[in-house]
Amino acid sequence: MIVSKKQCPKCYREYTEYENYCTRCGVELEKIPNKCSEMKTDRCVHRVYDKNDIYCAYCGSLTTYAKERLSLD
């Protein structure tokens, strides 16, 4: 089972999918998008991939979800 992560939009602290509010700011958490895990180029930073995409189209690194899946195996 892959647990998606959430992040505080104010302080960027990360949480699991089960938490809803930041313990520092009290702000509602947002899901972290599936992005390039290495972000080797300027384009990687802004790219968001589908959950089933495995590699970044700009640098070839794993996406964040693909990297999580490999670490769980």
Side-chain angles (χ1 to χ4, degrees):
M1 177 180 163
I2 297 174
V3 177
S4 61
K5 294 181 181 175
K6 290 184 180 179
Q7 186 177 55
C8 174
K10 188 174 178 183
C11 71
Y12 303 107
R13 192 172 186 185
E14 292 186 9
Y15 296 87
T16 67
E17 71 176 312
Y18 305 110
E19 296 153 320
N20 295 313
Y21 291 89
C22 178
T23 56
R24 279 191 189 150
C25 308
V27 177
E28 189 170 2
L29 303 175
E30 298 175 350
K31 283 193 175 186
I32 296 175
N34 186 15
K35 55 190 173 188
C36 173
S37 63
E38 300 295 324
M39 292 192 251
K40 296 178 183 176
T41 72
D42 290 339
R43 291 185 177 183
C44 298
V45 176
H46 303 292
R47 180 73 182 185
V48 177
Y49 292 98
D50 186 69
K51 194 167 188 171
N52 294 323
D53 290 335
I54 299 170
Y55 297 100
C56 174
Y58 297 105
C59 72
S61 298
L62 291 171
T63 63
T64 53
Y65 289 163
K67 195 168 186 176
E68 281 181 18
R69 279 189 219 125
L70 285 177
S71 67
L72 293 175
D73 290 338

